Amino acid sequence: MQLLDEDAGDLDAFNPGRGDAALHAADQLLVKAGMASRPRRFGSQKTELLFPRVNRESAQYAYLCELVARALQSENAQVRDRLAGRQSAQFDPLFHPAGVPLPGGVEQADVGHRVSDLIALYRAERTALHGEESTERKYRLLFAVMEEVIGADLPVRSIKRQHCIEVLTFLKAFPPNKVKRKKLRDLSLRGAVEYAQAHNLPGLAPNTVGGYMQNFAAILRWAERADFGVKAVVVQGLVERGDPQVKRRGFEADELKKLFGALRVFRENVPSRFWVPALSAYTGARAGEICQLHASDVIEVNGVPCLNLSVFDAKGVRAADKRLKTSSSERIVPLHKTLVDAGFLRFAQKQKDGERLFPELEPGTKGSYSHGFSKWFGRFKRGVGFHERSLVFHSFRHGFRDACRRAEIPEETALALGGWAAINQATRYGDRAAVPVLERAVQKIEYGDFDLTAFQSGDDPPAAR
């Protein structure tokens, strides 16, 4: 019993993921599972016991250690009961979903996994696949609402459609930016909803609620696949999307003249502020795709200058600082002759190999290099007189799509140029062999009497100006 007390003390100090017993057990589980392993060396001596080659600072390893410690704590409590001739310890439902007999012969209900277990397991898997930042950003509020509304101890198999409706109703009434509001930040979730209702504060936007309900449906589908006894159909039909409040449009020719007339002053000192909009106008690329470009992404294919919009570098190695929205977003886009005549290639050639094309852009909190740029552009366009909500940076992409239609560019070619391929029609355009087809198409793009070459800097040669 004394040894059990010592073990229990070690596990209580785990807190979490750092107890020696839990770490050792987790290591041996990984070894038995077949993970690459090696013995430890102490000078010229090495142990006979193998230890896994694993990143001990990773969230996945920490979570495994938490699960192992939880299992060992449960086992310790059961062994202590057997030695003492009693049955006072509850079995952990995470490891004993079928239930166990309680004192007096009363059977514990066959509850299986509870909502708290579902949240813990789903969070761990999603964190391992998509990272902690993404998981917390998309699911933190939803997890909290599930525990608040459904109840952390509710068996997952007992989730009914009424519970889903209650989650939906709660999200609709939940005030946005709770942590930033002084009168709300210290309130519980339910307290914040009650305060918002009492003071007629608006709830979350319909699209935000719809996004959370989509994530809720994803959790239930995951639980269904894991055989937790719940059917994801209980949430079917509850995922809502509000009607768009603004219909975006592309910039007209006169608006482009006004915009680039004001952007010209940035060409030398802050070149991203001129070239990112220009590239978007003539390639249809998103701000995020352009802002993350490396200097080596300006390439030449059979004599045609192009942008290589890819997460891989010239050697085929994935770049850690680049991401794309979808798989169809990866593409090679020939440069419009207007961009070349306006001096883009001369600018690109001045940048150092191995570095980013626009090194002045810093990544935002979510790792996107377009984060700060997009905020700046919003302020800038309002400053020069564009106050319409329908005109944003994405309007360049809308305008490019409209220009493709005006030029009567075939649909699948236009999809390939902009990375819009939704039905795999344009996947065959992803290699370099398609560049001649795309090059002929992109040169047809025009915006009326707008001419980017009219907005040169003083350092450009006379021929270019």
Side-chain angles (χ1 to χ4, degrees):
M1 190 68 75
Q2 180 181 355
L3 292 175
L4 288 174
D5 289 338
E6 292 175 359
D7 288 345
D10 180 50
L11 291 171
D12 287 340
F14 171 71
N15 191 27
R18 294 294 180 265
D20 289 342
L23 290 172
H24 179 76
D27 284 344
Q28 297 317 303
L29 283 173
L30 292 173
V31 171
K32 290 182 179 180
M35 176 168 281
S37 309
R38 63 184 176 189
R40 285 183 177 167
R41 288 186 174 273
F42 300 93
S44 60
Q45 303 296 319
K46 65 179 180 180
T47 64
E48 296 183 2
L49 193 65
L50 297 178
F51 291 87
R53 299 181 179 182
V54 61
N55 178 10
R56 298 178 185 277
E57 301 300 323
S58 68
Q60 298 94 316
Y61 182 73
Y63 181 67
L64 173 62
C65 292
E66 290 180 26
L67 290 179
V68 170
R70 182 169 169 176
L72 291 176
Q73 288 169 334
S74 177
E75 182 184 46
N76 183 284
Q78 303 305 322
V79 173
R80 288 166 59 90
D81 269 11
R82 285 198 294 271
L83 291 177
R86 61 174 184 260
Q87 279 187 311
S88 61
Q90 297 285 337
F91 273 63
D92 193 316
L94 187 61
F95 306 106
H96 301 274
V100 295
L102 294 175
V106 179
E107 294 291 326
Q108 179 180 335
D110 182 9
V111 297
H113 291 84
R114 301 178 187 273
V115 169
S116 59
D117 303 322
L118 170 60
I119 291 173
L121 293 170
Y122 185 82
R123 173 187 269 129
E125 180 172 310
R126 198 185 187 286
T127 298
L129 294 174
H130 302 285
E132 183 175 2
E133 188 278 330
S134 172
T135 301
E136 290 302 300
R137 171 168 48 87
K138 294 184 177 181
Y139 287 87
R140 180 176 55 187
L141 176 61
L142 178 59
F143 289 152
V145 170
M146 288 173 62
E147 292 186 326
E148 178 86 14
V149 177
I150 299 178
D153 293 329
L154 180 74
V156 174
R157 65 186 60 175
S158 298
I159 296 178
K160 306 298 182 187
R161 186 171 180 83
Q162 182 57 37
H163 294 115
C164 302
I165 294 175
E166 291 172 0
V167 170
L168 173 63
T169 303
F170 192 91
L171 287 169
K172 284 182 174 180
F174 191 79
N177 300 320
K178 173 183 177 294
V179 296
K180 296 181 179 180
R181 297 187 177 189
K182 186 176 182 180
K183 294 183 178 180
L184 298 178
R185 66 177 62 143
D186 295 328
L187 298 177
S188 66
L189 297 184
R190 197 173 294 278
V193 168
E194 292 173 353
Y195 181 92
Q197 291 175 333
H199 293 80
N200 295 319
L201 299 180
L204 296 174
N207 282 349
T208 303
V209 174
Y212 280 125
M213 291 303 293
Q214 283 186 330
N215 291 343
F216 187 32
I219 294 174
L220 295 183
R221 286 194 298 269
W222 184 90
E224 184 177 7
R225 292 193 299 270
D227 199 22
F228 284 6
V230 66
K231 298 295 183 183
V233 71
V234 297
V235 78
Q236 186 173 347
L238 298 180
V239 177
E240 297 183 349
R241 284 288 181 181
D243 294 331
Q245 301 300 306
V246 178
K247 184 178 181 179
R248 293 174 179 172
R249 66 175 179 84
F251 290 101
E252 300 291 342
D254 288 344
E255 292 169 332
L256 288 172
K257 292 177 185 178
K258 180 178 179 181
L259 191 64
F260 280 93
L263 289 171
R264 173 166 44 186
V265 298
F266 299 111
R267 279 192 51 151
E268 299 304 321
N269 295 330
V270 195
S272 59
R273 295 182 177 181
F274 181 87
W275 286 117
V276 173
L279 289 170
S280 184
Y282 285 95
T283 66
R286 303 173 180 90
E289 295 171 336
I290 300 173
C291 291
Q292 67 183 2
L293 285 172
H294 293 181
S296 57
D297 290 324
V298 182
I299 62 175
E300 187 174 292
V301 179
N302 296 328
V304 178
C306 303
L307 284 186
N308 183 26
L309 300 176
S310 172
V311 294
F312 299 97
D313 62 21
K315 297 181 180 179
V317 178
R318 189 180 186 93
D321 60 346
K322 296 173 72 175
R323 64 188 71 175
L324 293 175
K325 186 176 181 179
T326 65
S327 58
S328 60
S329 299
E330 186 161 355
R331 59 202 188 278
I332 295 175
V333 182
L335 290 176
H336 196 286
K337 59 184 179 181
T338 298
L339 289 169
V340 177
D341 292 342
F344 174 70
L345 288 182
R346 290 191 297 277
F347 160 76
Q349 290 166 359
K350 295 178 182 178
Q351 311 312 307
K352 296 180 179 179
D353 289 339
E355 294 186 2
R356 294 179 40 253
L357 188 61
F358 304 110
E360 69 269 20
L361 297 178
E362 298 291 339
T365 55
K366 299 176 184 178
S368 172
Y369 285 95
S370 63
H371 178 74
F373 176 86
S374 296
K375 287 190 171 184
W376 169 83
F377 185 82
R379 296 191 301 269
F380 170 80
K381 63 102 177 174
R382 290 190 296 272
V384 294
F386 294 102
H387 298 283
E388 290 183 41
R389 293 174 61 193
S390 59
L391 288 176
V392 293
F393 185 88
H394 209 68
S395 294
F396 291 115
R397 187 164 166 82
H398 283 279
F400 182 83
R401 189 72 179 92
D402 293 339
C404 288
R405 294 189 183 98
R406 290 194 300 269
E408 299 181 349
I409 294 173
E411 182 73 4
E412 62 181 33
T413 306
L415 292 176
L417 284 170
W420 284 293
I423 53 176
N424 287 332
Q425 286 282 354
T427 53
R428 56 195 174 99
Y429 285 113
D431 59 18
R432 298 177 178 227
V435 166
V437 176
L438 299 178
E439 201 270 339
R440 288 193 295 271
V442 81
Q443 301 306 338
K444 297 179 182 179
I445 298 296
E446 61 178 26
Y447 296 100
D449 60 352
F450 169 71
D451 182 6
L452 184 67
T453 61
F455 304 97
Q456 304 292 323
S457 68
D459 293 336
D460 287 314
R465 292 203 298 273

